[in-house]
Amino acid sequence: MLWSLILGTSLAAGFDGTPPAPTVRVTIDSSRHELTVTSGPFDLPNMPPMEDHAMMDLGMSHDTRLQRFEWPVNGWFRGFRVELVDGQGRAVPAHVMHHMIMVNFSRRQLLYSAAERLMGTGTETGEVSVPKTIGVPMKPGMRLGMYIAWHNDTGQDLEGVYLKLIMLWTPQNQNPQPVNALPIYMDVNLTVGGTNTFDVPPGNSTQAYEFTLPVGGRLLGVGGHMHDYGSGVRLEDAETGKVLTQVKAERDAEGKLVKVSRKLFGVSGQGLRLKARHRYRVVGEYDNPTGELRVKGAMASMVGLFVPDDMKRWPAVDPRDPTYQRDLASLEVRGAASGSMEEHHHGGKSEAPASHTAHDAPGAQDVPGSPHTGHESHE
Ligand SMILES: [Cu+2]
């Protein structure tokens, strides 16, 4: 049985005769347990290839505004894939989508007073799913929002492009029920609502952030995100100094990032045990061979899936918390300050205003499996 539910949310149209702003539409295939979130249409002018992060910072990609919708079913989110089609229904090359981030406003992150980043995907991520034995618990009416950064370097303008995000879910009546596994994001230098970049001096250096968790649990797997000259990200027990897990950067001959490894602790096993109210430290390590200080050139974070011992002790969203409000405000201005892509047809450099947070994932370094947390911004 296929039924569909329109949960379309119109965004404000441009005020100067620009085309109507894209909408998002949600359809449910309840026999396949797939949700299709269709966003568009988007007109994407051709742009030059991006050499590096700096070009992303200068607005060389097109960030959409946040497009809101509600999650419609009871169950567990367990995977996704992305399809791009043009106005005639023809396939559009996948790499035109530089990255896409899904925010869940109905749940907080474990470490930060900021909305959950339910998922993110980059150019080459492909289909992603976890075994049916685990999943991210979801309830009807959960408020989600997505934004996309486009980079069309196909050599021709693309018009009327739609992004279809197919989200897989496990229904509530599955027996046995999946284990609740939620995204966890650990950044070495995050200011919620602001930036997470930092300077990298020549040679070896580290940047670290210490935290405690309000609820213990098990880490099922981790990935990492770094920029050029990154060596790795590790998680340490800050009370003993012991390294609990790490992901390593693969670099080319010049030290530029090729990819960051991932680690699975086995979804059926115990995973990596983390205790409540115990001090942990996430550490990003760089080895910069350029001989120069790389100003705001670095990011380092670890992301994973975390199974809390007690879901009831997951911290609740506090809408009055100034930190949480800063997170919301930073999401609201996304894609707006430099003009939405509809107002922005010729691909010139934007002024890179503070709110044009073009970067969620590295440009040239955007590689398969690099997690996208939606917090990063380069200002
Ligand atoms: Cu980055």
Side-chain angles (χ1 to χ4, degrees):
M1 178 183 64
L2 177 83
W3 55 286
S4 79
L5 174 66
I6 308 296
L7 296 161
T9 309
S10 287
L11 300 178
F15 27 76
D16 56 359
T18 53
T23 59
V24 55
R25 201 163 59 93
V26 179
T27 61
I28 304 170
D29 184 335
S30 57
S31 58
R32 300 174 66 145
H33 303 126
E34 288 184 358
L35 214 72
T36 301
V37 182
T38 306
S39 174
F42 297 102
D43 290 341
L44 311 173
N46 182 57
M47 301 184 84
M50 280 183 294
E51 294 299 321
D52 57 28
H53 268 81
M55 297 178 74
M56 285 297 285
D57 301 347
L58 291 167
M60 300 298 275
S61 75
H62 280 151
D63 251 20
T64 71
R65 280 177 255 184
L66 191 70
Q67 301 171 66
R68 291 173 177 272
F69 61 97
E70 286 186 1
W71 177 269
V73 293
N74 254 315
W76 288 264
F77 170 55
R78 62 169 286 264
F80 65 91
R81 63 180 186 274
V82 173
E83 294 168 7
L84 303 180
V85 291
D86 69 11
Q88 280 74 50
R90 292 175 301 217
V92 168
H95 72 267
V96 166
M97 183 195 74
H98 186 263
H99 61 251
M100 185 263 297
I101 306 289
M102 184 74 70
V103 183
N104 180 1
F105 294 97
S106 297
R107 190 160 45 215
R108 219 199 81 156
Q109 295 190 26
L110 189 57
L111 268 65
Y112 307 107
S113 179
E116 176 179 276
R117 271 41 173 192
L118 177 61
M119 55 163 284
T121 182
T123 309
E124 314 283 352
T125 310
E127 178 155 349
V128 172
S129 64
V130 296
K132 285 184 175 169
T133 49
I134 62 173
V136 186
M138 300 296 289
K139 294 249 175 310
M142 275 186 154
R143 290 170 297 115
L144 304 186
M146 66 191 278
Y147 59 88
I148 306 158
W150 298 105
H151 185 85
N152 174 12
D153 59 359
T154 60
Q156 47 196 306
D157 295 349
L158 296 168
E159 281 172 10
V161 173
Y162 286 87
L163 178 141
K164 282 177 188 240
L165 168 67
I166 295 100
M167 301 177 82
L168 320 180
W169 91 90
T170 300
Q172 210 183 21
N173 60 9
Q174 181 182 281
N175 200 352
Q177 290 203 332
V179 169
N180 292 326
L182 287 80
I184 181 171
Y185 172 52
M186 299 166 275
D187 194 296
V188 305
N189 192 49
L190 177 67
T191 302
V192 172
T195 178
N196 63 345
T197 56
F198 54 93
D199 298 346
V200 183
N204 257 301
S205 63
T206 59
Q207 177 83 27
Y209 174 70
E210 239 181 73
F211 61 91
T212 59
L213 301 175
V215 55
R218 299 178 288 131
L219 205 47
L220 298 185
V222 289
H225 177 75
M226 301 198 91
H227 290 181
D228 284 344
Y229 315 122
S231 323
V233 187
R234 59 182 188 263
L235 179 64
E236 297 177 350
D237 183 323
E239 298 183 10
T240 66
K242 188 181 169 209
V243 176
L244 302 175
T245 186
Q246 54 190 323
V247 291
K248 292 273 184 197
E250 187 186 311
R251 302 150 52 119
D252 69 11
E254 278 114 55
K256 299 214 169 171
L257 193 80
V258 179
K259 68 175 180 187
V260 180
S261 68
R262 291 203 271 185
K263 212 162 224 172
L264 272 182
F265 305 114
V267 290
S268 52
Q270 278 306 297
L272 176 66
R273 174 101 229 148
L274 299 179
K275 291 178 273 190
R277 295 173 296 280
H278 187 89
R279 287 189 299 116
Y280 295 100
R281 181 161 54 223
V282 58
V283 184
E285 189 176 347
Y286 274 77
D287 183 9
N288 169 10
T290 65
E292 287 166 13
L293 177 74
R294 305 262 304 171
V295 176
K296 298 282 177 202
M299 290 185 187
S301 59
M302 190 178 268
V303 297
L305 273 178
F306 182 76
V307 177
D309 294 334
D310 182 359
M311 199 57 214
K312 290 191 287 295
R313 279 163 52 208
W314 195 271
V317 167
D318 179 0
R320 290 158 310 172
D321 177 26
T323 304
Y324 189 79
Q325 288 173 359
R326 271 204 311 279
D327 185 41
L328 293 195
S330 72
L331 289 165
E332 284 303 337
V333 298
R334 198 168 267 278
S338 61
S340 71
M341 74 200 58
E342 296 76 37
E343 297 151 347
H344 205 66
H345 271 263
H346 302 290
K349 281 185 180 182
S350 84
E351 301 281 311
S355 54
H356 187 96
T357 53
H359 175 81
D360 285 278
Q365 300 86 340
D366 201 2
V367 291
S370 72
H372 296 67
T373 56
H375 264 302
E376 301 93 318
S377 60
H378 282 171
E379 282 124 36

